[in-house]
Each structure stands twice: as C-alpha cells, then as structure tokens.
Amino acid sequence: MKTRVLTGITTTGTPHLGNYVGAIRPAVAASWRDDVDAFYFMADYHALIKSDDPARIERSRLEIAATWLAAGLDPQKVTFYRQSDIPEIPELTWFLTCVTAKGLLNRAHAYKAAVDKNTEAGEDADAGVTAGLYMYPVLMAADILAFNANKVPVGRDQIQHIEMARDIAQRFNHIYGREFFALPEVVIEEQVATLPGLDGRKMSKSYDNTIPLFAGGQKHLRETIMRIVTDSRLPGEAKDPDSSSLFTIFRAFASEAESSAFRQALVDGIGWGEAKQVLFERIETDVAPMRESYDALMARPAVIEEILQEGAKKARAIAAPKVAELRDAIGLRSGVAIAPQAAAAKAAPKSDKPPRFASFRDGDGSFRFRLFSGDGEELLLSRAFADPKAAGALQKRIKQLGDSAVLAVESLSLALDLDGEQVAVTPTYHDEATRDEALSRLRAALDQLAAQE
Ligand code: TRP
C-alpha cells in the first residue's frame, strides 16, 4: 500500500535557495518514489492570515506553483492543488472547530508568542491577533484530515501543528464513535540542510538575508552570492571551511567529490571573491535549467491554472466523499434520505408501549384523531367527523382490523380504507423507501391493537 504524504506550502513571499534545499527539492524527490502517494498544495488560505495584500497573494501563488513545477514536480504523479480550490477544506474546518478545545488553541506557539509580545509591551493580550491566526491549527488539521494523510513532512516549527491535528482527529473519532480519520505522523527530514543566509544566520525571509532561487535571473543570483558575508582573510590565507557559509551552501548542491575539492581550495587560500564565483557556478549548474522552465511557465499562467484545476479535481474526488461521510455522521443529513418521523422512530429505543389514539378538535370544530405508535411516531390521521361519537366508533373498528386492514398505497403516503371509503391517511413521506418502512410499522401497530382486543 502506498503511503499518503501531504504537505502545504504557505504562499507568501518568493522562493529562495533555503526553501529549495530544505523543502522543495526533498519533496520533489520523495514524490518520485513508487511507494508514495504525494499531495502537495498551496496553502493560500493560510497565506491570508499573514498578508492582506491582494497583489502579493496573487503573485506568490503563481510564483510558488511555477517554482514547484519547474523544480520537477510531476502533476501527473502528484496531486498538486491550491487549498482555496477545495471547498471541502473550509467545510471540514468548521466541523473540526466544533470539537476543538479552545484551550488547545490557546497553547499554540504562534498565538502564545503574539500574546507574550503584547503582554510584554503592556498591551491587551490579544491586540492585533486575528481569529484567523488563532484558528490556524484547525485549518491545517482540515488540510491533512480531509485526505487521511499518513505522513506530513514539515519543518520543526510545524511539529506542534501536526500534534494538534492528531489531537483534533482523535477527539472527532471519539465523539462520533468511529475511526473517521487516520492519525497523521510528522516527518522531519533530518538530513536536509538548513542553509545559512547572507549574514550567516538561517536563511529566512524574516531576517531579510535570502538568496532568491529564480527571481531576478542569473545576474541577480550572482550579485546576491557576492554579498555573502565572510571574514576578512585575504587571498592566500587559509580559510576555515567549517565556519564558512559559502562552504555550507556549496555542499547542499555538490557531490562529495566536488565538496572535498572546494574544501581543499579554501584551506589552500582561495580568495573569497573567487570562492563566491565557484559557488555561483555550482548553483547555477542546477538552477539554470529549472529557471528556464520557470520563466516559460510564468509567461503562460493559463498553463499553470489548468494544471492546478486538474489537481483540484483529483483532490476533490477524495475530499468530497470524505466530507459527505462526515456530514452524514454528524447528522447533517439530507431531509430526503430520511423522513423526520422515520428518523425519530429509528433513533428512539424500541419501546414495548402499545400504540395509542389521540383525539382532537380541528379548527373548524370537527373531530379527528391520530394514531401514534408506542414510540410516538404518527401513523395515521383520521378524516374529520362532525360527531365525536362517529370518530370514537371508527377508533373502535380500527382496533379490530388487524391484518384485515386495507392500506392503499398513494405515491408517498398510505391511506386506510374501510368499506371502500378512505377514513385515515398517513403523513407524507419523503421517498418510497421511507413510505414502505412506515407501512410495515403501521401494520405492526394494527396487529398489536387487534391482539389487545
Ligand atoms: N503551516 C505550514 C507552514 O507554514 C503550511 C501548511 C498549511 C501545511 N497546511 C499544511 C503543512 C498541512 C503541512 C500540512 O509551513
């Protein structure tokens, strides 16, 4: 059996070398494996929590889709889609929201960090915190659980979110009494490198120290690499490869042999400028062909759109039946599938109480009665009588009918005929199956009444 691997990519910002090495490249490689059924999607609903700039959201979605495709993602093999094209995800988010403890969300790192920051600044604890940020983990759980993903590869900062998804899944399973959701497992890629950025700290948009993957083209890539901070050793002086960002980045692209040659060159005193050129050329060898397809894709957004629409179709073929199953399980059922009366009768514990009549006066002063089952389901409504005694006489006769009762099947109801005259009718049912079930309950009730006589 294939393992379903799923991960989301928040569509803010423009992909950089750190994203490529740390997330895109390993994910693309994993998607080629035959034992993996990969689901990769753009978390553009999550992006809205971080950005309210429509142009940026639009651009980032496009750039990120093009990046993943250019990096070798095969949309035939992988289910590649946008979160916002799957309406089942926000629907499931609400179902999960209703079983998620608020206290669980209070403990989410990102929310707590915002609260701590506010508290330190003497502000209201929730100042500037949207409900979107607060709900972030539930939306993420829905992303995962809608597809029953087994493995979720993420960065370390996301571990808590996967744990919360498991928590929420377990709670839902427990409340509704079935294993609706597989419990997702977090996968941390230990061997993938985290790249240092221009200043030596982890490459990250929040440090503004990134080297772009495609943006700006070859020239910009080279210029940015030339800005990597080094120590002040001169050409001819030995450099320490293990404390050099250049070497760490180089190694993330190169083979063992290439890496040891570069290490030797540094030890032998290659100048930093020259070393940066070596690094640039090595990266460019990998990036150039990808950049070419990236540019081609960016020039034809309609092609990307078509690929994503195909992906959404594949994804919805899985999420839609899942959510339909859940709707049914939680009681959001079609009124047509089960008539309210039948549902009540099914749900109520079977009592041994005998059927009973209930008489009443109609608005126009006439007399009628209903026959109820012991469970309280309405079985029959009599015709109107001017004289209450006539109504009472009919009740008496009905009690004696037993299996001699003549029940005429109307389209979605039944009628009781006596002496060729329709004297009582059942409620209208929502479909024939429900009507037929009601018929057998009515027969049983009439038998029970006759047995008492
Ligand atoms: N929150 C993730 C991140 O910032 C992105 C994401 C959204 C995700 N939904 C997901 C990752 C579902 C894995 C599974 O990296």
Side-chain angles (χ1 to χ4, degrees):
M1 223 187 90
K2 290 193 181 201
T3 307
R4 184 162 294 165
V5 175
L6 175 144
T7 199
I9 309 129
T10 307
T11 51
T12 45
T14 299
H16 54 70
L17 284 189
N19 300 138
Y20 175 69
V21 168
I24 303 172
R25 193 174 62 186
V28 170
S31 76
W32 289 331
R33 287 171 42 171
D34 277 330
D35 57 343
V36 162
D37 179 19
F39 281 61
Y40 297 155
F41 69 95
M42 278 170 286
D44 50 1
Y45 281 149
H46 280 103
L48 295 177
I49 296 167
K50 297 185 179 159
S51 168
D52 58 8
D53 176 351
R56 216 176 113 197
I57 293 282
E58 182 190 25
R59 188 168 6 95
S60 178
R61 288 196 326 165
L62 195 63
E63 284 176 353
I64 289 177
T67 299
W68 281 72
L69 293 168
L73 196 73
D74 177 358
Q76 299 297 321
K77 189 156 167 26
V78 177
T79 305
F80 185 53
Y81 55 98
R82 275 183 304 229
Q83 186 184 34
S84 63
D85 286 332
I86 317 295
E88 288 77 13
I89 291 176
E91 189 173 0
L92 178 55
T93 300
W94 183 249
F95 300 166
L96 299 178
T97 301
C98 294
V99 302
T100 299
K102 180 169 174 284
L104 180 78
L105 301 179
N106 288 341
R107 292 191 287 276
H109 297 324
Y111 171 68
K112 258 183 33 193
V115 167
D116 290 349
K117 206 171 140 202
N118 282 332
T119 312
E120 232 165 81
E123 301 253 18
D124 180 84
D126 282 326
V129 176
T130 64
L133 174 70
Y134 193 70
M135 293 294 299
Y136 189 110
V138 187
L139 176 57
M140 191 158 153
D143 291 334
I144 299 168
L145 301 178
F147 300 97
N148 259 343
N150 311 110
K151 306 263 181 193
V152 186
V154 286
R156 293 199 166 277
D157 60 327
Q158 298 293 314
I159 295 176
Q160 190 196 31
H161 289 147
I162 312 305
E163 283 167 357
M164 288 182 160
R166 288 173 66 92
D167 241 44
I168 295 169
Q170 266 167 325
R171 229 178 130 93
F172 189 98
N173 288 348
H174 176 72
I175 289 172
Y176 292 104
R178 217 166 356 119
E179 299 302 300
F180 292 98
F181 300 122
L183 301 186
E185 280 171 38
V186 67
V187 180
I188 301 293
E189 299 269 3
E190 296 290 356
Q191 62 282 39
V192 304
T194 20
L195 292 193
L198 298 178
D199 56 0
R201 291 184 294 173
K202 180 185 173 201
M203 191 182 296
S204 162
K205 198 168 44 102
S206 37
Y207 295 145
D208 195 20
N209 64 356
T210 63
I211 303 173
L213 179 58
F214 300 135
Q218 186 197 56
K219 183 162 169 278
H220 188 54
L221 177 64
R222 186 171 181 284
E223 283 166 1
T224 314
I225 288 172
M226 292 300 160
R227 283 176 26 223
I228 296 173
V229 173
T230 62
D231 61 29
S232 54
R233 279 168 226 235
L234 299 170
E237 281 186 74
K239 317 285 187 294
D240 174 19
D242 296 311
S243 65
S244 158
S245 303
L246 288 187
F247 184 63
T248 310
I249 299 172
F250 186 90
R251 241 187 355 195
F253 287 85
S255 67
E256 282 297 319
E258 290 168 321
S259 295
S260 49
F262 192 49
R263 171 185 286 277
Q264 195 57 52
L266 289 165
V267 171
D268 291 347
I270 185 176
W272 284 126
E274 202 184 323
K276 287 176 179 175
Q277 179 64 26
V278 173
L279 174 62
F280 160 69
E281 281 168 14
R282 183 59 196 83
I283 294 174
E284 181 63 7
T285 304
D286 282 16
V287 168
M290 295 191 282
R291 185 191 298 120
E292 202 176 307
S293 48
Y294 176 81
D295 290 342
L297 282 163
M298 288 300 282
R300 296 171 63 202
V303 173
I304 301 177
E305 186 63 30
E306 198 179 314
I307 290 170
L308 291 173
Q309 289 306 328
E310 277 304 307
K313 231 191 261 172
K314 276 203 280 180
R316 292 195 70 194
I318 292 165
K322 182 86 216 164
V323 168
E325 180 199 358
L326 298 173
R327 288 182 68 96
D328 185 70
I330 64 185
L332 301 179
R333 298 175 188 137
S334 160
V336 174
I338 302 173
Q341 294 90 347
K346 266 190 187 165
K350 281 274 158 274
S351 80
D352 292 317
K353 284 196 216 149
R356 61 186 172 82
F357 290 99
S359 304
F360 65 98
R361 270 189 104 163
D362 238 346
D364 62 3
S366 61
F367 296 87
R368 286 180 190 261
F369 59 85
R370 287 194 170 87
L371 174 64
F372 290 98
S373 74
D375 298 316
E377 179 190 1
E378 182 185 334
L379 299 173
L380 284 176
L381 169 67
S382 78
R383 54 161 270 221
F385 293 92
D387 179 358
K389 283 203 199 104
L394 177 60
Q395 284 187 20
K396 226 174 151 62
R397 282 198 65 189
I398 290 175
K399 281 186 192 166
Q400 294 161 350
L401 285 173
D403 55 14
S404 69
V406 177
L407 292 165
V409 174
E410 312 282 345
S411 65
L412 288 176
S413 64
L414 305 157
L416 174 64
D417 289 352
L418 260 187
D419 311 321
E421 197 204 340
Q422 185 174 308
V423 295
V425 292
T426 67
T428 301
Y429 300 103
H430 290 260
D431 57 20
E432 293 179 359
T434 320
R435 178 202 63 200
D436 294 345
E437 283 168 29
L439 172 60
S440 63
R441 287 194 298 275
L442 177 54
R443 285 246 172 247
L446 294 173
D447 287 345
Q448 216 178 331
L449 288 171
Q452 283 173 355
E453 282 302 291

